[in-house]
Amino acid sequence: MNAAVRNRPGSLSTQTLPPSILPGSPMGAADGDTELPGFARLWTAFMSARLLIAAAILGLHVAVHFWVRPLPLWILGLCTGYLAMTVLARTLATPQGPGRSFDRQWVYTAGLDLVFFVVLQANQVGSINYVPLVALPVLMSAVMGSRALALGTAALVTLTLLAHSLWNNDIGWAGTGEIAQAGLAGGGMLILALLTNQLSARLAREEVAARRSRIEAHVQSLVNGMVIDAMDDGVLVVDTDYMVRSANPAARLMLGSDREVTPDQFALDDNPAWLQLAHIARQTFEDEPVDAMEVTLHHEDRHSSRLQVRTQRTPTVSDSGRCLCVMFMQDLREMEAQLRTEKLAGMGRMSAAVAHEIRNPLAAISQANALLEEDLTDPALLRLTTMVRQNADRLGHIVEDVLDVVRAQGPADPHAATDTLELDALVHRFCGEWIAQHGAGARVQLHLGMPELPVVFSPEHLRRILVNLLDNAARYATHQAGAIQVSTHPVRHGPAMLMVWSNGPPLEPSVRRHLFEPFFSSESRSSGLGLFICRELCERHGASIGYERTERAQGSVAVDGNEFFLSLRRAPGAFVTTFLDSAPPT
């Protein structure tokens, strides 16, 4: 019977296993099921041996009947019937389990053999001796049955042999030798049955233990595989030929290896970007394990990967002298992001406390300055109060930004997270309000391509993000018509896109790297929290925000500009009835 452990996604399951091979279960035979594959093979071997013996006996008697002397037809019929019974047992019968006591299966196997061989011995053809054949049912009972069944079968054989000797010989010195020979053969059968049964039971116990160990090892292997696959760190197993024997999903992601294209086993010299890892593996095999080495993998079709690698070398495998190198890889960007998140959490708590403490004296300063300004007429003094008011307002905006960061990092509002809104309608309204407030006029153009397509977002949060992006765009864009463009665009089977483009100068690489970090700004008078708050609000709603330098049509000329784009989740069940394209409108 097959007994294996198979791995299903996210879980471990065991196929139906007989109780006798499960860990902690004794070997039993009362359930009527074949419990050990070895037992099934023994059963097949015994049934095949019976079939061959039956065919040989029938052939022998047919040869004697036609070439030596005629035999009674009932003997030929008996041999033919026995052959037919062995064929039926070989093809139709199934093993009933080791260690079983007397049952009907013993009757048509060992019992039938015993009766058949005794009848042949009682009606000997010439000088043929059938006594050695009675060892077959004894062995079968000893190997496949219980100890009582084995000894009982051997005892029955002994009594039968003694009875046959007594029947054929008179009591006296003449028949003593043959009776002694029958008794000696029976005693040998008893010893053979006892020893064979003990060996069989021991082998069965060892097979149970071996199968239990294999099952436990298989389960442990599956658990280890699941743990390694779920690890955030990449794990590579490399041999001395620099072939990757195993790689978990995190490692493949760091290597830029696509499972659909790259085979399960691949070489580190297949891709020039991985040559640094091959050098680390060589160093591990030749010298000693590497501890926390930083490497940068330069990919051709994607951004480079910055990794921290440490290695361990396994002991030598058997007598081959070969060993394996296990690489543990950590994405430095992820580590830095996690560290930054922890710092931001602590900074947010401290900033919130400071902001609340600043609010009250700041309000008092602003109120006192307003009262003082009402009584002043000297232009020089009025300029001073104006400077106080402007700086107080600036400080108030910074305090509000800090508190906005704390609110954005707090628990999500369940009502806001489940709001559905028509993106085009709200974008049109919010942009109209901003244009009217800033007198932008033709400077801002709208390209809305998602009529009546609902997305999941909070309207108030969308307003804050859009106003922040428009303020940033207006700060650097020219005053030409179409210098700022706001567009919406659906992606087939993907998110809804909202883009804010402006024809401002390109951002410096040092600025691009820190765009969405808090308190980072290229201007001295900015708090540096605007884009960070936008990112935090997007993440609260399962959206994302990014930046890229793109080209747009401004009038009849293609112009490079800065574009911030939002990927928004569509509402459940939303679909687009118009033609969808993957490129933004121009």
Side-chain angles (χ1 to χ4, degrees), residues 89-423:
R90 177 64 178 81
T91 56
L92 301 180
T94 56
Q96 297 297 313
R100 298 178 66 86
S101 301
F102 179 82
D103 60 2
R104 63 180 182 179
Q105 192 175 73
W106 182 92
V107 174
Y108 61 78
T109 55
L112 177 64
D113 294 347
L114 183 59
V115 171
F116 177 68
F117 296 147
V118 169
V119 171
L120 289 182
Q121 181 66 21
N123 299 273
Q124 284 182 291
V125 177
S127 59
I128 300 177
N129 186 7
Y130 299 95
V131 172
L133 295 178
V134 297
L136 179 63
V138 174
L139 287 175
M140 186 183 303
S141 300
V143 171
M144 311 185 73
S146 63
R147 180 178 302 178
L149 183 63
L151 294 177
T153 304
L156 183 60
V157 168
T158 302
L159 293 176
T160 303
L161 293 177
L162 290 173
H164 179 264
S165 299
L166 292 173
W167 179 267
N168 292 333
N169 297 279
D170 296 332
I171 301 299
W173 291 107
T176 301
E178 189 172 346
I179 294 173
Q181 183 179 358
L184 184 61
M189 293 292 177
L190 287 169
I191 296 174
L192 177 65
L194 181 61
L195 294 179
T196 304
N197 183 261
Q198 289 181 345
L199 289 175
S200 175
R202 180 175 180 179
L203 290 176
R205 288 193 298 270
E206 291 180 354
E207 184 174 2
V208 169
R211 288 181 60 80
R212 183 186 299 120
S213 299
R214 287 198 300 271
I215 291 173
E216 293 176 351
H218 195 183
V219 171
Q220 187 62 45
S221 175
L222 292 176
V223 172
N224 293 341
M226 292 178 64
V227 171
I228 292 175
D229 287 346
M231 289 175 61
D232 294 331
D233 295 347
V235 179
L236 289 182
V237 180
V238 186
D239 62 15
T240 52
D241 296 327
Y242 310 113
M243 289 291 298
V244 177
R245 298 289 190 88
S246 178
N248 68 341
R252 286 184 173 272
L253 182 62
M254 296 176 190
L255 295 179
S257 167
D258 190 349
R259 185 174 289 273
E260 296 181 357
V261 178
T262 308
D264 290 338
Q265 296 187 8
F266 54 92
L268 287 178
D269 53 7
D270 290 345
N271 191 327
W274 305 337
L275 293 180
Q276 295 183 72
L277 299 179
H279 175 73
I280 292 176
R282 183 183 303 110
Q283 181 178 348
T284 302
F285 288 128
E286 294 177 355
D287 300 325
E288 58 183 10
V290 174
D291 185 19
M293 176 181 291
E294 294 187 7
V295 299
T296 302
L297 307 184
H298 299 283
H299 306 285
E300 295 180 356
D301 55 349
R302 50 173 287 188
H303 297 297
S304 60
S305 302
R306 294 177 54 237
L307 308 177
Q308 185 181 82
V309 182
R310 58 185 179 89
T311 63
Q312 289 290 335
R313 187 172 56 196
T314 65
T316 303
V317 180
S318 65
D319 298 330
S320 62
R322 299 170 68 90
C323 58
L324 298 174
C325 170
V326 183
M327 291 188 181
F328 302 93
M329 304 184 299
Q330 291 180 302
D331 192 332
L332 287 177
R333 290 189 177 92
E334 293 294 333
M335 295 173 59
E336 292 169 356
Q338 183 178 1
L339 181 60
R340 185 166 58 249
T341 301
E342 294 175 355
K343 289 182 178 179
L344 287 175
M347 183 185 65
R349 291 190 293 269
M350 182 189 69
S351 300
V354 173
H356 282 294
E357 293 297 328
I358 293 177
R359 254 183 164 181
N360 293 333
L362 183 61
I365 293 173
S366 299
Q367 186 176 5
N369 183 70
L371 294 174
L372 182 61
E373 194 173 18
E374 292 177 357
D375 298 332
L376 295 177
T377 58
D378 188 348
L381 296 178
L382 287 175
R383 283 195 299 271
L384 292 177
T385 57
T386 301
M387 292 176 58
V388 172
R389 184 179 70 255
Q390 290 176 348
N391 283 276
D393 291 341
R394 179 189 172 196
L395 187 57
H397 288 308
I398 294 176
V399 169
E400 290 299 324
D401 286 344
V402 170
L403 294 177
D404 286 342
V405 170
V406 177
R407 297 188 192 104
Q409 291 181 326
D413 182 3
H415 300 290
T418 56
D419 283 346
T420 58
L421 51 88
E422 292 186 7
L423 186 61

Side-chain angles (χ1 to χ4, degrees), residues 55-76:
I57 291 176
L58 178 60
L60 176 63
H61 284 76
V62 169
V64 170
H65 178 76
F66 285 102
W67 282 285
V68 180
R69 62 183 179 87
L71 295 177
L73 294 179
W74 69 267
I75 293 182
L76 296 178

Side-chain angles (χ1 to χ4, degrees), residues 403-446:
L403 294 177
D404 286 342
V405 170
V406 177
R407 297 188 192 104
Q409 291 181 326
D413 182 3
H415 300 290
T418 56
D419 283 346
T420 58
L421 51 88
E422 292 186 7
L423 186 61
D424 280 7
L426 280 183
V427 169
H428 186 275
R429 193 181 88 191
F430 295 155
C431 289
E433 295 173 355
W434 187 89
I435 292 172
Q437 181 181 356
H438 293 80
R443 189 185 183 195
V444 179
Q445 293 182 356
L446 302 182

